[in-house]
Amino acid sequence: SAAEVIKDLKLENVHTRVGDGFKGWPEAAPFDKIIVTCSPEKVPQPLIDQLVEGGMMIVPVGERYQQTMYRMIKKDGKLERQALRPTLFVPMTGAAEASRERLPDPKNPRLINGDFSQAPPAGATNQVDFVPGWYYGRQVKRIEDSLSHAPYVRFENETPGLSSHLLQGIAIDGTSVGTIRLATRYRSDGVRRGDEADQLPAIVISFYDGVRADLGAEMIGPFRNSRSWRDASRLIRVPPRAREAIVRIGLFGATGVIEFDDVELKKVGD
């Protein structure tokens, strides 16, 4: 259907092919630039081979739910990489998925870098809002506290309704995990509701089935006003059909400041 649209638009310099992205397009190579819009665990060697010397590749690389978007330049046959930001793409299927070495463990779900102690990689762009393990940050900063020496994240927003959040995806098997405990430490300052009734800071977990159909969401919060550092936690039942989940933290359209540390998700029982 993409080919038909291109034909209808009379675009003569765009070409299409259906195939395994891991193998690239050897008949049309070499390429000056390659953009990959799904995530392999490692950059496929055929794509490296098909990129010209000095060429650029943009590709999300990593584990199924822990990926980083990289800008890569080919020099002397190898890729020099610069980390752009954490991200979450669908996996590259075919040969790339079949050769994946590190697989998620849906029977023992957990969050990565929930204490925010992991710093951005050297040379990464946007060092302030680059929070390893967490994606799609909006109006967020990773703070190194000189007094407590404990990193945390700060969300700050002045415009009602404007997004301020981070998220992280996990694999979770609802047939093996019946209950989870979601917990955090938080501090708030001058938090006020946004334009809508549900625009208040919280930690939200949304569940999805095997075809990513929405199974509903649960939360810790919402949090209001100003509070000194304190703990919050909740036991949450996992839908039996759940196979994936997204954990979101932030202001979600509220104004003011909220800070989070020690965000943790644990399976309850065997």
Side-chain angles (χ1 to χ4, degrees):
S1 60
E4 288 299 318
V5 170
I6 291 168
K7 180 180 178 181
D8 291 342
L9 293 174
K10 298 181 172 56
L11 301 177
E12 297 180 354
N13 64 340
V14 181
H15 307 278
T16 63
R17 183 189 185 200
V18 176
D20 188 342
F22 181 93
K23 300 175 183 178
W25 195 347
E27 297 83 1
F31 300 104
D32 298 312
K33 296 181 176 70
I34 296 175
I35 299 177
V36 181
T37 58
C38 53
S39 181
E41 186 174 44
K42 301 175 182 177
V43 181
Q45 187 61 46
L47 298 187
I48 300 174
D49 296 340
Q50 293 169 33
L51 187 65
V52 300
E53 184 69 15
M56 179 190 298
M57 186 185 307
I58 305 294
V59 54
V61 177
E63 298 178 35
R64 175 64 188 89
Y65 296 94
Q66 289 294 315
Q67 307 156 12
T68 300
M69 181 73 79
Y70 286 97
R71 177 193 293 120
M72 301 185 177
I73 306 296
K74 187 174 180 180
K75 293 185 178 180
D76 299 324
K78 297 182 180 179
L79 295 178
E80 294 186 355
R81 60 180 63 193
Q82 179 187 28
L84 300 179
R85 62 178 51 250
T87 187
L88 179 62
F89 278 70
V90 296
M92 178 180 281
T93 57
E97 192 67 7
S99 61
R100 190 176 289 273
E101 296 176 2
R102 300 187 64 175
L103 300 175
D105 184 1
K107 296 182 179 181
N108 295 284
R110 65 188 183 94
L111 293 173
I112 302 298
N113 197 29
D115 61 0
F116 309 106
S117 60
Q118 186 178 343
T125 60
N126 302 309
Q127 286 280 334
V128 173
D129 65 357
F130 191 123
V131 183
W134 298 84
Y135 341 118
Y136 308 139
R138 298 290 185 272
Q139 299 197 91
V140 60
K141 294 181 180 179
R142 178 180 176 273
I143 305 296
E144 292 273 6
D145 192 324
S146 59
L147 296 178
S148 67
H149 304 287
Y152 56 88
V153 289
R154 173 183 295 159
F155 301 88
E156 189 167 2
N157 176 41
E158 298 178 350
T159 306
L162 193 63
S163 295
S164 179
H165 61 256
L166 284 172
L167 65 86
Q168 183 173 151
I170 59 171
I172 185 167
D173 185 347
T175 64
S176 300
V177 182
T179 304
I180 57 171
R181 180 178 180 268
L182 194 59
T184 190
R185 294 180 66 239
Y186 76 96
R187 178 170 63 183
S188 58
D189 183 13
V191 170
R192 296 291 182 270
R193 193 188 75 185
D195 293 329
E196 306 293 336
D198 61 350
Q199 290 182 345
L200 283 165
I203 297 183
V204 181
I205 181 167
S206 301
F207 296 100
Y208 303 90
D209 68 11
V211 293
R212 299 189 179 90
D214 192 344
L215 299 177
E218 301 288 346
M219 72 165 67
I220 304 177
F223 308 116
R224 296 177 173 86
N225 305 319
S226 299
R227 298 284 186 271
S228 58
W229 281 110
R230 61 187 58 199
D231 297 329
S233 66
R234 184 184 169 193
L235 294 178
I236 295 172
R237 294 291 299 172
V238 179
R241 291 168 50 205
R243 298 297 179 268
E244 293 182 335
I246 299 289
V247 175
R248 299 174 174 87
I249 64 175
L251 283 164
F252 302 115
T255 58
V257 176
I258 191 159
E259 298 163 342
F260 290 105
D261 195 7
D262 297 329
V263 181
E264 186 178 56
L265 183 152
K266 278 188 175 182
K267 175 182 177 180
V268 176
D270 297 327

